[in-house]
Amino acid sequence: MWRQHTARQVAKFGAATAATAGVAYAGYAYYQRKTGRTPTVASLYPQSLINYADPLQTPTPPGKRPHAFWTPPKRQDMINDLKGLQRDGTDTKTASEKEFDLLVIGGGATGAGCTLDAATRGLKVAMVERDDFAAGTSSKSTKLVHGGVRYLQKAIMGLDYEQWKMVREALHERKTFLNIAPYLSHELPILLPVYTWWQLPYFWIGCKMYDLLAGKQGISTSYIMGRGKTLESFPMLRSEGLVGSLVYFDGQHNDARMNAALAVTAAAHGAVVANHVEVTSLIKGPNEEGKEVVKGAMLRDNETGEEWSVRAKGVINATGPFSDAILKMDEPQMADIVAPSSGVHLVLPSYFSPKNMGMLDPATTDGRVVFFLPWEGGVVAGTTDTLCNVEADPKPSEKEIEWILSEIRRFLSPDVKIRRGDVLSAWSGIRPLVRDPKAQNTKDLVRNHMIHTSDSGLITIAGGKWTTYREMAKETIDQAIDAFKLQPLRDCQTESLVQNFGVDLEVAKHLSHNYGDRAWAVCAMADRTSEQYPSVRYAVQYEYALSAVDVIARRLRLAFLDAQAARDSLPKVIDIMAGELHWDDKRKKAEHRKALEYLTTMGLPDSILDEPANVASDKKGYLNIKTTGDLNFLDAASYYRRGVFSAEEIGAFLSAFAEFDVHGDGHIEVKDIKPLFDSIKVPLPQGDIDEYLRAANVDYSSPANTIEFEQIFDVLGQIKEAINSKGRAPTGELKLNQIPTHRSGGGV
């Protein structure tokens, strides 16, 4: 299997869109038979989306045509609402009309969940986020919707009722989560490999208790598999000593897209939501009893730099790892409540795992667990759990990446070689473990989530996990209603807030999986614009994407799936966004720079920051074969690429290798390595070859020793990765970095 990193990879989104539009058109040919009219684009998409008249004058049968969609307000409309102005910018509202019931700070899962809960109860609510929706922890999860099978084990072994209750509540929320947005979440079977006989009944009992604890809110039930069926289902698994496996079910979702859906759905229910708007300070004033309380905040639009104040009866701090920063605006002397922990994840190519089954290694070398899960066409592996500092875009360390890779190698077959170069992206998310400031022992961490109300009335919700975001939001809004004496029109609605959608999965598999019923809007854009990137335009117009990072990281998820492909797509993405948002060249260059800086937190090296801002979108990510059949190692030397080769390059190299394979047994002598590399013009500075041979475990102590093709290929991959990572020195002399075994490039 060979992988080429080019901008064409991102075009699959556009290709899927265009194909979907065609299939959808054909699917509605029934209308021609029914009415004698030829179905047109206007007959397929709502007027509210495409902005021109629908020629159909009579209604079509229910369920046969998508309903008319609500269109989100423009961002400027939201900004005017936050300023207390009318949508047209006029200042005619009264003081009471300008005041919100609630101001939610933070646009992650918890903040968006609180905003949606409040809006559906009929409260007047606003939410601001200094970066983008899900810019932090909420986009960097394990992508699971789960009760926590490992927590259940701890609850049983430690006779811990609180942990038992936490798992039970999470299992209830798991089912609700899967019902709320079926196009963004689904059940996923997860395999537990068993290598000792006594563990088989042990794991079986644990999985059955997990099923039973869910009760009526259960999903598919666990089952046992023998050795043969296990290897058939997961052929990459290490077979030596394998007894069988247990398969249990949890949920999986697209976290950042779910977050965006919550924010936009809240707006549909009347909430004011604005990303890239930062709280710079809290506003306080006396209440009816003369007590100094929080009454709003000073805001700054990070797009324009403009500042203004917003008034609210209550303020909710839902900023996750950054909770302490808002708390200190309220009480500067308050001790930190967040104990941040870093969780690193990797994404590998899809061929390392079955398409529809994940795996859990319950016994790593240090007692943690590692998930190995198919997700969005890749494989997510993780996670670590280490103390860290709070920062906006933390970088995964090479030590953490190597630990995950080493654990993966332990449970996969020795024939499956996972190299550092196979890592498509890597990210670090900060889990906000919290301490209750009102607890007797403030050093103890809260098991689940915590809701804290300060003396001045600031409500802080922190901790928890994606699975329980809805329950956390419900509890927070319940507390806010009591604390601020609010008058909701109705009780909590979010448990039954199911979004119905009319796009058949067979018609729009990719689009419906990411956009639900609004996939039709993307199709309409593809038809109108005849372009291959309609998702970018959609993200700007309908999902409040304001930066290139918003798009590649949290709307398309490309930075998470393949950081290099995201980098290749930047010029095209920025061009489209520039047209939508009226960016000048200065802003386009700034967006390019910020996007590259972000991609260094997703596994790409800092050296990419040296690239010019006008890199062409069609740069080749692989090395081109010359007409002579040579491998040109210098074509991409100034651009970062992994040590990956095209099929043509491998064919050319095999031909060259055959010339030195005098015995025809797939081996050449060590003394022939240098002549072989000279024949295909591989640049090798004096003395560096030994480092690469050692990394490939080649015994080069004697010139007569032999080396097989696969070892040579590993060396070649390392050299290529080194060249493309480091480029040329200022003097023009080629510099090769020394890559140890764990960094050897692969892709085959």
Side-chain angles (χ1 to χ4, degrees), residues 343-506:
V344 171
H345 295 80
L346 316 177
V347 171
L348 300 165
S350 61
Y351 48 76
F352 284 115
S353 171
K355 183 178 180 181
N356 297 312
M357 178 175 284
M359 183 167 60
L360 167 64
D361 178 9
T364 63
T365 53
D366 64 358
R368 289 179 285 185
V369 299
V370 166
F371 287 98
F372 196 69
L373 310 169
W375 181 73
E376 297 292 321
V379 179
V380 174
T383 177
T384 60
D385 187 8
T386 54
L387 295 178
C388 65
N389 296 320
V390 175
E391 53 184 316
D393 291 307
K395 293 184 180 182
S397 69
E398 281 297 323
K399 182 178 180 181
E400 291 171 308
I401 292 173
E402 171 54 26
W403 181 84
I404 295 174
L405 290 175
S406 65
E407 293 300 323
I408 294 171
R409 296 184 188 113
R410 288 179 61 248
F411 60 71
L412 293 186
S413 168
D415 295 332
V416 180
K417 295 190 175 182
I418 295 185
R419 306 171 175 86
R420 177 61 177 83
D422 291 316
V423 176
L424 303 180
S425 70
W427 70 83
S428 174
I430 300 177
R431 182 186 178 195
L433 304 174
V434 293
R435 307 178 183 92
D436 186 349
K438 293 184 177 179
Q440 289 185 352
N441 185 355
T442 57
K443 293 183 179 179
D444 290 341
L445 297 178
V446 175
R447 294 290 179 87
N448 198 352
H449 62 272
M450 177 210 67
I451 302 175
H452 167 70
T453 302
S454 72
D455 292 339
S456 58
L458 175 67
I459 293 180
T460 297
I461 168 68
K465 58 184 179 180
W466 245 115
T467 306
T468 57
Y469 85 90
R470 193 203 64 83
E471 180 63 27
M472 293 164 59
K474 177 181 179 297
E475 292 178 17
T476 304
I477 300 304
D478 284 344
Q479 189 159 322
I481 289 171
D482 291 339
F484 307 125
K485 299 179 175 58
L486 304 178
Q487 301 295 322
L489 301 179
R490 58 191 73 88
D491 293 333
C492 179
Q493 303 288 304
T494 54
E495 188 167 6
S496 57
L497 189 66
V498 180
Q499 183 170 351
N500 296 314
F501 54 96
V503 180
D504 192 309
L505 287 176
E506 295 300 320

Side-chain angles (χ1 to χ4, degrees), residues 145-348:
V145 184
H146 64 132
V149 67
R150 56 178 175 167
Y151 300 128
L152 177 60
Q153 180 188 27
K154 292 179 180 179
I156 296 172
M157 300 301 291
L159 299 178
D160 189 334
Y161 176 71
E162 287 300 317
Q163 196 141 234
W164 171 280
K165 188 171 68 172
M166 182 182 72
V167 174
R168 185 180 61 193
E169 291 173 353
L171 288 172
H172 171 84
E173 286 301 311
R174 179 187 66 177
K175 180 65 172 179
T176 303
F177 194 115
L178 296 176
N179 288 338
I180 286 175
Y183 64 96
L184 287 172
S185 58
H186 58 274
E187 291 186 18
L188 178 70
I190 300 176
L191 182 143
L192 284 155
V194 179
Y195 289 91
T196 55
W197 282 106
W198 68 266
Q199 284 187 324
L200 209 55
Y202 174 76
F203 285 149
W204 182 84
I205 292 172
C207 288
K208 286 304 175 186
M209 291 187 70
Y210 195 62
D211 295 339
L212 291 172
L213 196 57
K216 294 180 180 180
Q217 297 296 320
I219 55 178
S220 298
T221 58
S222 57
Y223 59 90
I224 195 169
M225 291 196 301
R227 183 179 188 276
K229 188 65 176 177
T230 298
L231 291 174
E232 180 183 335
S233 302
F234 210 111
M236 305 80 171
L237 197 61
R238 176 169 59 87
S239 60
E240 183 182 357
L242 181 69
V243 173
S245 64
L246 265 297
V247 177
Y248 74 97
F249 287 79
D250 260 327
Q252 189 180 54
H253 73 134
N254 189 330
D255 50 9
R257 290 212 54 80
M258 180 68 181
N259 204 142
L262 290 174
V264 174
T265 305
H269 286 272
V272 175
V273 299
N275 54 350
H276 299 279
V277 173
E278 183 175 1
V279 170
T280 58
S281 64
L282 298 177
I283 297 174
K284 292 185 178 182
N287 62 7
E288 296 175 354
E289 301 170 356
K291 182 181 179 181
E292 196 81 358
V293 296
V294 175
K295 288 195 167 185
M298 288 297 300
L299 306 181
R300 178 174 60 231
D301 185 345
N302 288 332
E303 287 291 297
T304 64
E306 187 178 6
E307 296 189 3
W308 68 94
S309 64
V310 60
R311 295 280 175 171
K313 296 172 184 175
V315 177
I316 295 174
N317 173 17
T319 53
F322 301 95
S323 296
D324 287 322
I326 303 298
L327 282 167
K328 284 179 173 18
M329 291 182 185
D330 179 34
E331 299 179 24
Q333 305 306 317
M334 184 173 180
D336 290 348
I337 68 167
V338 174
S341 172
S342 169
V344 171
H345 295 80
L346 316 177
V347 171
L348 300 165

Side-chain angles (χ1 to χ4, degrees), residues 668-684:
I668 65 172
E669 294 183 354
V670 169
K671 64 179 178 63
D672 291 328
I673 295 176
K674 187 67 165 59
L676 168 63
F677 284 2
D678 288 342
S679 72
I680 54 175
K681 297 181 172 56
V682 176
L684 281 174

Side-chain angles (χ1 to χ4, degrees), residues 49 66-67 69 183 499-503 512 515-521:
L49 285 182
H67 55 271
F69 298 108
Y183 64 96
Q499 183 170 351
N500 296 314
F501 54 96
V503 180
S512 65
Y515 298 95
D517 54 4
R518 301 192 70 83
W520 291 95

